[in-house]
Amino acid sequence: MAAIGFQLAYVIANLALISLGLAIIFGMMRVINLAHGEFLMLGGYTVVVATNAGVNVWVAMLILAPLVVGIIGVIVERVLIRWLYGRMVDTLLATWGLSLLLVGLVTSIFGASTATTVSPPLGVIRFGNYSASGYELFLILITIALFFLVWLTLRFTKLGLLARGTMQNAEMASSLGVSTNRIYMITFGLGAAVSGLAGGLLAPMTGVLPTIGATYIAKAFITVISGGSAILAGTTAGSILLGGLNGIFSFVVGSTFGEIALLLAAIVLLRLMPRGITGRFFRKSL
């Protein structure tokens, strides 16, 4: 039972971690970012390049990965996304093209066939007769801490207040003297930074390929859309429900059936709740 519980917690945390950056960009800004998987991939490659250059793996994962991808996100927002707000289909097409560009650039630099790996920095830990990966436990704990940090930022800081106000009514915020262009830029950059952090943290577990973003993007979108409009409550609820089903079916009948169960659960959920979980429950949550 302990093994099942730990693996379920890890699957849920993994799903929540890869979805949070997308929840910030799509949930708050209504930008369909099909390059989200590539932001995760860039975070992973940042860790690989930095550790190969002799940088401490913790510094590479926790500082450099979100910093580098956050800066890339700001550049993307200023050059591309800022002209497309309110045009969701156009953001879809533009970020799809961006994802192809990033995959092509990384492939030309690192090659396409071999997964680049980083060794997990923690070993095995034991709880009585049960042993588990120390790094998987770290990922569970840091996912919880990251969600709490984002909640604190949105709920109690001036930036969080301005960001929520701008996304709800940009014209009113602008009339009150808020620089909405700056808020959009910072919000997109923070969403990209969270994605880069997630990609960097997952690199030791998954390895990194130029095309690895494709394995992230579908799960992230399914989770965020199933969760609904509330960024944190929706992503948390979607991750627990879909990740829990995925983990149970993967443990019982194999990973392929786990992926099928996740997809079918999302289809049924959206049929019953077209606005997602937080469209019916937790409506006033962040």
Side-chain angles (χ1 to χ4, degrees):
M1 291 300 295
I4 297 176
F6 183 83
Q7 287 304 312
L8 280 178
Y10 173 70
V11 171
I12 291 170
N14 190 300
L15 191 57
L17 187 62
I18 67 174
S19 302
L20 182 57
L22 181 64
I24 294 172
I25 292 175
F26 177 66
M28 290 187 69
M29 307 179 70
R30 314 313 297 173
V31 171
I32 303 178
N33 181 23
L34 290 186
H36 173 70
E38 282 61 49
F39 285 172
L40 289 158
M41 176 265 291
L42 291 175
Y45 271 109
T46 300
V47 172
V48 170
V49 172
T51 53
N52 288 342
V55 177
N56 180 274
V57 66
W58 295 108
V59 174
M61 290 189 301
L62 299 177
I63 298 177
L64 292 183
L67 180 63
V68 169
V69 181
I71 292 172
I72 293 173
V74 169
I75 295 172
V76 168
E77 196 279 338
R78 290 290 86 186
V79 173
L80 181 65
I81 303 300
R82 65 179 298 190
W83 313 106
L84 303 175
Y85 290 122
R87 298 157 56 187
M88 294 183 66
V89 174
D90 292 345
T91 63
L92 183 152
L93 294 174
T95 54
W96 177 55
L98 176 64
S99 72
L100 296 178
L101 174 64
L102 293 175
V103 170
L105 289 175
V106 173
T107 300
S108 67
I109 296 171
F110 296 99
S113 58
T114 304
T116 308
T117 58
V118 178
S119 299
L122 298 174
V124 176
I125 57 175
R126 296 186 179 277
F127 303 98
N129 294 326
Y130 174 69
S131 61
S133 166
Y135 191 69
E136 289 182 357
L137 177 60
F138 168 75
L139 285 180
I140 295 171
L141 296 177
I142 199 169
T143 300
I144 296 172
L146 183 60
F147 269 70
F148 183 64
L149 179 61
V150 173
W151 178 78
L152 287 176
T153 301
L154 293 176
R155 181 68 177 80
F156 294 107
T157 67
K158 181 179 179 181
L159 173 62
L161 176 63
L162 293 178
R164 288 186 288 127
T166 299
M167 303 314 159
Q168 291 175 12
N169 193 327
E171 291 184 2
M172 179 62 73
S174 180
S175 68
L176 294 174
V178 177
S179 175
T180 55
N181 284 335
R182 184 180 179 187
I183 295 298
Y184 280 128
M185 178 186 71
I186 294 173
T187 304
F188 194 93
L190 288 177
V194 170
S195 301
L197 174 63
L201 290 170
L202 292 173
M205 302 301 297
T206 62
V208 189
L209 280 169
T211 56
I212 197 171
T215 65
Y216 293 131
I217 187 67
K219 285 185 177 181
F221 263 107
I222 288 172
T223 302
V224 171
I225 294 172
S226 298
S229 59
I231 302 167
L232 297 179
T235 304
T236 301
S239 298
I240 292 173
L241 177 61
L242 301 180
L245 287 172
N246 185 6
I248 291 171
F249 275 84
S250 296
F251 190 86
V252 175
V253 292
S255 60
T256 300
F257 287 97
E259 301 297 324
I260 295 173
L262 184 151
L263 178 59
L264 291 178
I267 293 172
V268 173
L269 177 64
L270 291 174
R271 178 64 181 86
L272 298 175
M273 303 180 196
R275 296 184 179 180
I277 297 172
T278 55
R280 178 171 295 183
F281 307 103
F282 316 112
R283 292 182 180 180
K284 295 183 180 181
S285 301
L286 284 177

